[in-house]
């Protein structure tokens, strides 16, 4: 028996879980864990919420709350989401737990004492308006590599890890001020010294899937640089050095340790040593957006500390929604809490697994979800099981009949049943979860054909033994389906076990043991029901309504006269206008507001006006909006126009440029 340490990527505690989280990380980890427990391996599966870092601090600032209040709110939501999807974690903790603080500080201090962490004088962005140094997530600007909008630490479009000082056109996200560069110091990790060791780890580790190996190799080929491990913030784990007052550990050193702190807390309760699991076999299940961190940063830290490196890093690719990238800010997303209000979690577990391999991007479509539920779960698996159970009750008094004088067709079907546990199990062991489920579905489909060809409703009168053999084998497949579906559809598998009086589905090898003749089963009800068109149309409508509501941004709400008085609207004159490349609706305008130099304003007018037609036009401008980036272009105001036709709200020709309307 082997010991296996399984971790799920730590969910960040600034929002609940959506379908993408489950698909890329928690579901595959759960399938793998359940299967390994069933084949007799000793599994420890852990996770925790990642609760430090700037996004939570920023959200707390906006809501005028303490960061711990924000993280506690979302921790509780995430726990409910994970539990509702039947994810069989052995332990789920928080990175704000005292035990995690102690472990993280000891880890840092050990690396520091051993010379892997050193103080480095650096230049850092500083906001003169907020009077503070800006951690990476407090800065936004343009990626120096691809020109897209980027955060201070990362460009989502090209995947480049960034330093805030590398950004083009940076601004403080709190006040919009352009930051200045000032001298300060932080603590850096000697990642560059571990480059050769990490190259060997990636190149010689045959367990790693292609997407992880290729991604990590590309980064290593560029050469590694040392990595800043600390930030100037109040929210986080304090750096355990006397000279480092006001500095905290960067989330990407201490969050990894959430795997270990969660496991160590499990050890205190269980009395078992988590180290025995880690030292045997370690597998991390993550999303592809954090491959870099888990394949280079984390192994580098572990190597420096003297720990065994992970054996396997499995990275699930992205999940889109109705053909579009999911966006929580636009509410183009399906939250787990909303899904389980309307549908059983096993239906989602099936769809997310069968839809596409984890090493390929996939899409959630309500229409396709309905099709797979109706055509595969209901019509194939559910239909086969229900017919088997109903006919056994009706014609054989709910008892498994005898198997005598089988035909060639009977024996061929029996062989398929016997081989299913091994073939499906081999796929799961090799992390090919979709292929395993397809194998199960294929044999269930074969069971439907076998049942139809045998025609037991006729044979019971003309050849009773033929009908008996058919129901004997059909019940054997039903039992095998209960076991092999358990990692994928745990609730439905348990329901099959209840109907068949199987007891608990603990041992995978029991799937190969046929039920004895005379074994009694219980009365059955249909396990799967079809989803009606009107339900799906309602779900699609709700999704679009949520997007529309978000885009409207509640602008229809009433405001007070004091709130309205905060807006500064001035008369402006368009001096220059040009289309923004690759955008069919945006124009970049230079607008004279009677100030020292024109304002650059991005306006969605390209569908209604040619750029040259706007030059010389007087317009109404909201002049005191916080600067923002639209399509990578800085916009310093808003042109007032109607939403439907784009008609400009033009002032009287006698109005003076720069004159304030309100």
């Amino acid at each position: 028996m082997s010991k296996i340490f399984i971790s799920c990527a730590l969910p960040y505690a600034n929002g609940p879980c959506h379908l993408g989280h489950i698909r890329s990380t928690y579901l595959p980890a759960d399938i793998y864990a359940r299967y390994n427990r069933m084949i007799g391996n000793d599994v420890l599966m852990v996770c925790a919420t990642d609760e430090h870092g700037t996004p939570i601090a920023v959200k707390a600032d906006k809501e005028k709350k303490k960061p711990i209040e924000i993280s506690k709110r979302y921790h509780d939501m995430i726990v409910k989401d994970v539990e509702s999807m039947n994810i069989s974690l052995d332990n789920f903790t928080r990175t704000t737990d005292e035990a995690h603080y102690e472990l993280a500080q000891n880890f840092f201090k050990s690396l520091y004492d051993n010379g892997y962490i050193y103080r480095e004088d650096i230049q850092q962005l500083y906001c003169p308006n907020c009077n503070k140094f800006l951690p990476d997530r407090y800065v936004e600007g343009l990626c120096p590599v691809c020109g897209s909008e980027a955060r201070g630490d990362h460009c989502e479009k090209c995947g480049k890890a960034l330093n805030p000082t590398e950004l083009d056109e940076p601004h403080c996200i709190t006040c919009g001020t352009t930051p200045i560069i000032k001298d300060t110091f932080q603590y850096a990790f000697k990642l560059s010294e571990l480059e050769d060791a990490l190259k060997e780890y990636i190149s010689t580790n045959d367990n790693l899937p292609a997407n992880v190996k290729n991604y990590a190799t590309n980064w290593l080929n560029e050469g590694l640089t040392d990595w800043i491990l600390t930030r100037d913030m109040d929210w986080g784990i304090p750096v355990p050095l006397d000279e480092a007052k006001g500095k905290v550990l960067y989330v990407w050193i201490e969050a990894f340790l959430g795997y270990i702190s969660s496991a160590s807390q499990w050890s205190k309760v269980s009395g078992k040593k988590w180290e025995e699991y880690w030292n045997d076999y370690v597998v991390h299940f993550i999303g592809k957006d954090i491959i870099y961190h888990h394949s280079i940063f984390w192994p580098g830290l572990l190597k420096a500390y003297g720990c065994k490196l992970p054996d396997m890093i499995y990275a699930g690719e992205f999940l889109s929604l109705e053909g579009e990238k999911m966006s929580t800010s636009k509410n183009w997303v399906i939250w787990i809490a909303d899904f389980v209000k309307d549908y059983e979690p096993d239906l989602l577990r099936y769809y997310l697994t069968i839809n596409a391999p984890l090493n390929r991007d996939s899409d959630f479509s309500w229409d396709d979800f309905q099709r797979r539920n109706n055509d595969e779960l209901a019509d194939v698996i559910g239909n086969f099981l229900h017919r088997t159970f109903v006919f056994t009750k009706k014609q054989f008094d709910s008892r498994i009949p005898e198997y005598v004088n089988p035909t060639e067709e009977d024996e061929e079907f029996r062989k398929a049943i016997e081989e299913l546990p091994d073939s499906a199990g081999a796929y799961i062991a090799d992390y090919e979860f979709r292929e395993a489920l397809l194998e199960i579905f294929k044999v269930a489909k074969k069971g439907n054909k076998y049942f139809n060809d045998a025609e037991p409703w006729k044979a019971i009168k003309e050849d009773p033994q033929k009908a008996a053999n058919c129901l004997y084998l059909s019940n054997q497949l039903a039992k095998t389906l209960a076991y092999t579906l358990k990692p994928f559809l745990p609730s439905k598998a348990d329901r099959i076990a209840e109907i068949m009086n199987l007891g608990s589905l603990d041992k995978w090898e029991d799937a190969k043991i046929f039920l004895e003749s005379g074994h009694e089963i219980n009365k059955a009800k249909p396990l799967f029901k079809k989803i009606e068109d009107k339900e799906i149309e309602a779900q699609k409508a709700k999704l679009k309504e949520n997007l529309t509501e978000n885009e409207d941004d509640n602008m229809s709400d009433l405001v007070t006269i004091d709130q309205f008085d905060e807006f500064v609207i001035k008369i402006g004159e368009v001096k220059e206008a040009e289309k923004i490349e690759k955008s069919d609706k945006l124009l970049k305008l230079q607008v004279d507001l009677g100030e020292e130099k024109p304002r650059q304003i991005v306006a969605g007018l390209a569908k209604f006006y040619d750029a040259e037609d706007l030059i010389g036009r007087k317009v109404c401008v909201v002049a005191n909006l916080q600067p923002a980036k639209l399509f990578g272009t800085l916009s310093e105001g808003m042109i007032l126009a109607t939403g439907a036709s784009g008609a400009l709200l033009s002032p009287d020709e006698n109005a003076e440029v720069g004159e304030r309307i309100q």
Side-chain angles (χ1 to χ4, degrees):
M1 180 176 69
S2 298
K3 286 182 166 59
I4 302 176
F5 187 109
I6 299 174
S7 73
C8 302
L10 273 59
Y12 197 61
N14 69 338
C17 291
H18 56 65
L19 302 193
H21 296 127
I22 298 299
R23 191 258 180 179
S24 67
T25 303
Y26 308 106
L27 178 55
D30 188 58
I31 293 169
Y32 188 72
R34 287 178 181 273
Y35 168 73
N36 275 284
R37 293 184 187 113
M38 290 178 74
I39 64 173
N41 288 328
D42 191 358
V43 171
L44 170 58
M45 184 164 73
V46 297
C47 194
T49 41
D50 177 7
E51 301 186 21
H52 296 119
T54 51
I56 289 173
V58 170
K59 186 182 281 284
D61 288 345
K62 289 180 178 178
E63 296 187 20
K64 293 181 170 41
K65 294 182 181 294
K66 295 179 180 179
I68 191 66
E69 295 179 80
I70 303 296
S71 63
K72 174 64 165 63
R73 177 205 306 167
Y74 290 115
H75 168 83
D76 293 345
M77 289 183 185
I78 291 167
V79 168
K80 289 180 181 178
D81 290 339
V82 170
E83 289 178 346
S84 72
M85 290 303 300
N86 291 322
I87 308 300
S88 57
L89 287 161
D90 293 295
N91 203 51
F92 193 100
T93 56
R94 306 174 60 182
T95 59
T96 50
D97 289 341
E98 184 178 339
H100 179 77
Y101 270 57
E102 182 180 358
L103 187 148
Q105 289 179 323
N106 288 341
F107 187 88
F108 178 94
K109 192 67 166 54
S110 176
L111 295 185
Y112 180 81
D113 291 341
N114 289 321
Y116 279 102
I117 293 176
Y118 61 95
R119 173 171 165 161
E120 181 179 16
D121 293 326
I122 65 169
Q123 290 187 319
Q124 191 171 334
L125 294 182
Y126 182 90
C127 179
N129 186 49
C130 296
N131 195 30
K132 67 178 182 181
F133 283 102
L134 299 178
D136 44 28
R137 289 288 186 95
Y138 273 85
V139 185
E140 291 180 352
L142 298 182
C143 174
V145 177
C146 70
S148 300
E149 294 178 20
R151 302 191 304 252
D153 64 338
H154 180 71
C155 175
E156 289 192 1
K157 185 159 187 181
C158 70
K160 179 69 175 176
L162 298 170
N163 186 299
T165 56
E166 297 177 307
L167 289 177
D168 294 331
E169 301 181 23
H171 64 270
C172 170
I173 66 168
T174 302
C175 68
T177 300
T178 299
I180 60 175
I181 294 178
K182 291 185 67 172
D183 293 331
T184 184
F185 73 92
Q186 296 293 350
Y187 294 87
F189 173 59
K190 293 181 179 179
L191 186 64
S192 59
E193 288 191 6
L194 298 161
E195 184 173 316
D196 290 340
L198 292 172
K199 283 182 176 177
E200 182 181 2
Y201 167 65
I202 295 297
S203 63
T204 61
N205 189 344
D206 294 333
N207 291 322
L208 296 179
N211 62 342
V212 172
K213 183 164 285 197
N214 292 341
Y215 200 99
T217 300
N218 289 338
W219 279 102
L220 286 165
N221 288 341
E222 291 184 12
L224 298 182
T225 57
D226 290 354
W227 180 40
I228 300 296
L229 287 184
T230 57
R231 296 292 185 269
D232 292 294
M233 290 184 68
D234 296 327
W235 177 238
I237 299 177
V239 174
L241 299 173
D242 293 338
E243 65 182 13
K245 186 177 181 180
K247 298 186 186 296
V248 299
L249 300 183
Y250 179 39
V251 69
W252 276 116
I253 174 178
E254 57 95 355
F256 291 125
L257 296 168
Y259 303 142
I260 308 303
S261 62
S262 182
S264 65
Q265 291 181 65
W266 170 84
S267 290
K268 290 179 181 179
V269 175
S270 67
K272 299 179 181 180
K273 294 182 178 180
W274 67 267
E275 295 92 340
E276 294 179 358
Y277 296 81
W278 184 276
N279 291 329
D280 198 340
Y281 188 81
V282 180
V283 53
H284 294 316
F285 285 90
I286 63 171
K288 79 171 182 180
D289 56 329
I290 51 176
I291 290 177
Y292 181 55
H293 308 81
H294 280 78
S295 62
I296 295 178
F297 289 172
W298 178 226
L301 290 167
L302 291 171
K303 188 75 176 176
Y305 193 79
C307 287
K308 171 181 175 289
L309 305 191
D311 298 277
M312 175 60 154
I313 303 168
Y314 201 97
E317 299 284 317
F318 289 145
L319 180 72
S320 56
L321 176 58
E322 299 288 357
E324 301 289 338
K325 181 181 178 180
M326 282 199 201
S327 171
T328 55
S329 61
K330 295 179 180 178
N331 213 15
W332 188 250
V333 68
I334 298 175
W335 304 106
I336 294 301
D338 291 336
F339 183 93
V340 297
K341 288 177 184 176
D342 298 323
Y343 300 102
E344 295 175 272
D346 278 4
L347 305 189
L348 182 59
R349 290 175 64 109
Y350 178 82
Y351 181 76
L352 293 179
T353 304
I354 204 78
N355 198 28
L358 272 171
N359 59 7
R360 194 177 80 203
D361 286 347
S362 181
D363 182 65
F364 181 93
S365 158
W366 276 114
D367 288 333
D368 193 48
F369 169 74
Q370 178 194 27
R371 180 187 66 80
R372 287 199 179 272
N373 177 82
N374 293 356
D375 297 352
E376 296 172 4
L377 285 177
D379 282 350
V380 176
I381 297 176
N383 185 51
F384 169 77
L385 292 169
H386 193 64
R387 289 199 298 173
T388 295
F389 298 148
V390 169
F391 204 87
T392 301
K393 180 180 187 304
K394 182 177 179 181
Q395 300 297 339
F396 296 96
D397 194 28
S398 295
R399 297 182 182 276
I400 309 299
E402 293 187 354
Y403 186 63
V404 179
N405 297 325
T407 63
E408 185 176 333
E409 291 76 16
D410 292 334
E411 285 296 281
E412 182 182 344
F413 184 46
R414 181 185 62 79
K415 184 179 179 182
I417 299 169
E418 291 176 338
E419 292 174 348
L420 177 58
D422 286 340
S423 60
Y427 279 125
I428 298 175
D430 202 29
Y431 305 94
E432 297 183 22
F433 308 119
R434 177 177 182 263
E435 287 70 19
L437 193 50
L438 283 172
E439 190 75 7
I440 296 167
F441 176 76
K442 182 174 71 176
V443 177
K445 195 171 183 179
K446 185 177 291 186
N448 262 323
K449 184 178 185 305
Y450 171 77
F451 198 98
N452 289 337
D453 291 347
E455 297 182 313
W457 54 90
K458 287 185 180 179
I460 196 69
K461 300 174 183 176
E462 302 167 1
D463 186 353
Q465 189 55 54
K466 180 180 179 180
N469 287 349
C470 173
L471 268 297
Y472 174 84
L473 291 175
S474 294
N475 276 283
Q476 305 306 336
L477 176 56
K479 178 195 173 185
T480 300
L481 288 176
Y483 281 89
T484 55
L485 285 173
K486 177 70 174 182
F488 303 95
L489 315 179
S491 296
K492 295 296 184 183
D494 286 344
R495 182 64 188 130
I496 298 170
E498 290 173 11
I499 293 169
M500 301 196 74
N501 281 322
L502 298 179
S504 60
L505 304 172
D506 294 334
K507 297 182 179 179
W508 189 266
E509 62 185 16
D510 287 351
K512 302 178 183 179
I513 301 173
F514 278 23
L515 294 167
E516 294 184 359
S517 298
H519 178 88
E520 187 174 3
I521 67 172
N522 296 316
K523 183 178 179 180
K525 292 182 180 180
L527 285 160
F528 302 97
K529 67 177 183 177
K530 292 199 172 185
I531 299 172
E532 300 295 331
D533 290 348
K534 62 182 180 180
E535 294 180 55
I536 296 301
E537 292 306 314
Q539 294 290 353
K540 290 192 289 186
K542 182 167 66 174
L543 187 61
K544 290 179 180 177
E545 286 170 10
N546 290 342
L547 178 64
T548 302
E549 288 173 3
N550 186 269
E551 288 180 334
D552 289 344
D553 201 24
N554 297 319
M555 289 300 289
S556 62
D557 292 345
L558 295 174
V559 298
T560 66
I561 189 65
D562 291 334
Q563 289 172 313
F564 180 69
D565 195 48
E566 293 177 3
F567 290 96
V568 174
I569 304 174
K570 290 185 175 182
I571 305 298
E573 182 178 348
V574 179
K575 294 298 186 181
E576 298 176 21
E578 60 181 295
K579 287 199 67 172
I580 290 180
E581 188 179 352
K582 297 182 181 179
S583 174
D584 61 355
K585 66 178 183 178
L586 296 179
L587 295 177
K588 181 171 71 173
L589 311 176
Q590 302 298 327
V591 182
D592 181 7
L593 290 176
E595 300 170 340
E596 185 176 341
K597 63 178 183 177
R599 293 273 195 101
Q600 179 171 285
I601 297 176
V602 177
L605 300 171
K607 289 186 176 181
F608 312 107
Y609 299 92
D610 292 330
E612 55 271 21
D613 292 340
L614 290 174
I615 297 175
R617 290 280 301 261
K618 287 184 178 178
V619 292
C620 298
V621 178
V622 180
N624 65 332
L625 288 180
Q626 191 174 115
K629 292 285 175 57
L630 298 174
F631 228 79
T633 303
L634 182 67
S635 183
E636 302 173 299
M638 177 186 288
I639 304 291
L640 296 182
T642 63
S645 64
L648 289 168
L649 302 187
S650 299
D652 186 278
E653 61 182 19
N654 294 321
E656 295 290 334
V657 169
E659 189 176 351
R660 180 167 174 170
I661 299 173
Q662 120 64 23

